[in-house]
Amino acid sequence: MCNARGLTRRELIELGALAGLAGLAPATLAGGEPETRPAARPRNIVFMVADGMSIAVPALADVFSRQVRATGTHWYGLLATAGVMHGLFETYSLNSLVTDSAAASSAWGSGRRVFNGAVNMLPNGTALTPLAPLVRESGRRVGLVTTTTITHATPAGFAAAVKTRDDQPTIATQYLGLVDVLLGGGREYFEADQRPDRRDLRGEFAAAGYACVATRAELLGVGSAPRLLGTFGTGHLPYTLDHRNTPELTERVPTLAEMTRAALATLSADDAGFLLQVEGGRVDHAAHNNDIAAQLWDQLAFDDALGVVLEFARARGDTLVVVTSDHGNSNPGLNGMGGDYGGSNKCFARVAGATQSFDRLTGQLGRLAKEHAGDEAVGTLLRQATGLELEPAEVALLREAGGGRLPPVLGRQHANLVGVLGEVLSNHYGIGWTGVSHTSDPVLLTALGPGADRFAGLHPLTDAFEALTDLFGIRHRNPAMSAAAAGDFAAQAPAERQPHWV
């Protein structure tokens, strides 16, 4: 069983040694650094993150896209495109072989590893300088687009520095005047009546020249605003699966592709150049829920946004596009089903029948449990939500689980309602899961455009900072903390520094 207090000092030192070896890996695998690099530098860089995307997901998404849309995905197409660079990021943090999103994005954003849960902050309290202020000082513009709260860990890693990722009100204040385009969820962190300091941050953004929008219609009609703040939900934006099946959400909330198009239009209104991060954040949340239908629909929404970016980049020739993830999550995979695995295709095709996310489904299961509903009502709900006709024993098991009475399980990761739901539906979808948390696997890395060669091969996450700053002609290196020093710090109060991050 894992030690809940985290890694020991010795383990952290050993992890630091591993980090040193990993730093040698790209040159080793690629046959050493090239003697010269292409002279062309990008005017613009778009860094795209399918958060929590395990390495099997792009292949599953491509098959799923062909089933539900009769066409493949942009990302999978890039894997077979000549001239596109491919590689991997390895993903551990300063204190764990399994990273959270805050530590991963901080590695990209500052070039330094930090503890899970921190945003560009070393364990000793040293604040690191992230990409956004450096890019702004170079005369360029900065944008962040996401389907999570705009103050969530991944966008924050490019622009903020706080002790804990949970301090989203402070992250919101750090964006003011620094990030030119902010589009996503998280309205609660900008409105006075919901902020702990009662600041009308939305009003402050408006006074600083930001066009502030809150609906899809307002975004599509915003015109040529020099700066843009769009918060389209109090918290995270809805899963694409729920968005496309709920007319009110379809009308009110823009898609990731629509937000990306608006960001590109605003940031490219002058010739200064820009850095834009685009995150499909709910890919990660669906993986935590073992919800393959929600994950694949959000992966397709991310791919649609990639299509917008590729259209922009190919029309100009001066834009570097990097597409990747920050870590794996729960590692979904299609299992061999039936004799000679002949049932796998049929099982996977059933995923298209889902009509709502597990977020909605589990809430309704809980409601039925409070009403003491029987198996017939639960079976009807499950049929409507998943498109599946479950076996009576499965319906009864999920009715019990919805009321908090979980069945015996061998793996503690699945000892929860979404874990049980994912396991039951795996009998019908064919999709298996390793758990409900992040994994240590390397993640896929694809790049095209000027400077793309910097991303070929195997890289630590921290290499992204060096590549992006170098390509923009920025000279800055943040201080680092050794594994030994981090181990000394962790030993002081390890239990306080090992929360469960997503």
Side-chain angles (χ1 to χ4, degrees):
M1 182 175 178
C2 292
N3 185 349
R5 72 174 182 81
L7 300 178
T8 65
R9 182 175 183 275
R10 172 180 288 276
E11 289 168 333
L12 279 161
I13 293 173
E14 292 172 349
L15 183 58
L18 177 62
L21 292 174
L24 299 176
T28 303
L29 292 181
E33 288 293 313
E35 294 182 4
T36 61
R37 298 195 181 280
R41 292 178 180 270
R43 179 185 300 276
N44 315 304
I45 298 175
V46 182
F47 197 94
M48 303 194 66
V49 184
D51 196 291
M53 187 204 73
S54 296
I55 203 163
V57 172
L60 292 173
D62 190 72
V63 175
F64 187 67
S65 181
R66 294 179 189 279
Q67 290 176 347
V68 300
R69 308 195 301 188
T71 186
T73 59
H74 296 289
W75 196 350
Y76 216 63
L78 290 177
L79 297 178
T81 301
V84 176
M85 298 295 131
H86 305 293
L88 298 168
F89 274 133
E90 53 75 26
T91 61
Y92 55 84
S93 68
L94 184 58
N95 66 322
S96 178
L97 289 168
V98 180
T99 191
D100 82 324
S101 293
S105 191
S106 295
W108 289 327
S110 67
R112 295 293 180 252
R113 297 189 189 277
V114 300
F115 276 16
N116 286 347
V119 178
N120 293 314
M121 188 81 71
L122 293 177
N124 63 4
T126 300
L128 306 171
T129 304
L131 282 165
L134 298 174
V135 172
R136 285 298 304 278
E137 288 170 8
S138 74
R140 299 173 175 89
R141 310 180 75 195
V142 177
L144 300 172
V145 176
T146 181
T147 52
T148 66
T149 57
I150 193 62
T151 48
H152 213 239
T154 301
F158 270 32
V162 290
K163 182 178 180 181
T164 170
R165 57 181 286 173
D166 288 339
D167 192 3
Q168 295 190 64
T170 297
I171 291 169
T173 64
Q174 292 185 7
Y175 288 161
L176 181 59
L178 176 65
V179 183
D180 299 283
V181 174
L182 293 158
L183 299 174
R187 187 179 302 133
E188 62 182 306
Y189 302 112
F190 295 84
E191 296 185 347
D193 61 347
Q194 299 189 62
R195 286 182 56 85
D197 57 8
R198 300 306 184 203
R199 285 177 64 179
D200 176 17
L201 204 56
R202 181 183 173 93
E204 292 181 38
F205 271 82
Y210 289 77
C212 297
V213 298
T215 67
R216 177 175 181 266
E218 290 175 353
L219 177 68
L220 298 182
V222 74
S224 57
R227 286 179 168 180
L228 185 56
L229 169 66
T231 50
F232 307 102
T234 300
H236 302 313
L237 300 189
Y239 286 104
T240 300
L241 177 58
D242 296 328
H243 183 271
R244 66 189 301 272
N245 285 294
T246 311
E248 182 271 329
L249 292 177
T250 304
E251 181 179 356
R252 178 174 56 83
V253 181
T255 65
L256 184 60
E258 289 170 336
M259 291 190 293
T260 300
R261 191 178 298 279
L264 290 171
T266 300
L267 294 171
S268 64
D270 57 44
D271 292 329
F274 62 82
L275 170 66
L276 171 63
Q277 184 202 87
V278 177
E279 183 201 21
R282 308 229 67 188
V283 173
D284 177 70
H285 297 170
H288 278 296
N289 283 348
N290 283 189
D291 186 349
I292 190 60
Q295 184 176 40
L296 292 178
W297 277 113
D298 265 84
Q299 186 70 29
L300 295 191
F302 176 81
D303 198 74
D304 288 342
L306 173 58
V308 170
V309 171
L310 293 176
E311 178 185 4
F312 175 89
R314 286 166 175 162
R316 297 173 57 100
D318 63 356
T319 300
L320 169 64
V321 180
V322 181
V323 196
T324 189
S325 183
D326 49 354
H327 52 73
N329 189 340
S330 303
N331 289 9
L334 179 60
N335 294 313
M337 305 292 287
D340 295 327
Y341 304 153
S344 297
N345 293 12
K346 182 179 180 180
C347 286
F348 187 65
R350 293 174 181 147
V351 176
T355 60
Q356 59 181 273
S357 70
F358 281 13
D359 265 12
R360 289 192 170 185
L361 177 55
T362 54
Q364 293 175 78
L365 284 171
R367 176 181 56 79
L368 289 178
K370 290 180 180 178
E371 296 172 355
H372 304 289
D375 286 357
E376 183 177 353
V378 172
T380 298
L381 169 63
L382 291 167
R383 187 184 313 111
Q384 293 171 344
T386 67
L388 299 173
E389 191 69 48
L390 301 185
E391 297 176 5
E394 294 172 327
V395 172
L397 186 151
L398 290 173
R399 174 179 52 77
E400 292 284 312
R405 296 175 294 276
L406 298 173
V409 292
L410 295 178
R412 293 185 179 91
Q413 285 258 333
H414 285 116
N416 46 71
L417 179 52
V418 293
V420 172
L421 188 55
E423 291 290 275
V424 168
L425 296 191
S426 72
N427 296 327
H428 303 269
Y429 289 156
I431 297 293
W433 305 84
T434 61
V436 293
S437 65
H438 295 181
T439 58
S440 66
D441 319 345
V443 292
L444 190 62
L445 172 59
T446 300
L448 66 156
D453 64 303
R454 295 293 296 267
F455 295 90
L458 176 65
H459 297 269
L461 290 169
T462 50
D463 273 7
F465 177 85
E466 181 175 352
L468 298 182
T469 53
D470 188 36
L471 289 168
F472 271 166
I474 296 170
R475 295 289 177 263
H476 182 89
R477 293 296 177 267
N478 278 300
M481 177 171 277
S482 69
D488 288 336
F489 178 83
Q492 297 171 18
E496 299 175 3
R497 297 179 171 85
Q498 295 296 323
H500 175 69
W501 302 108
V502 296

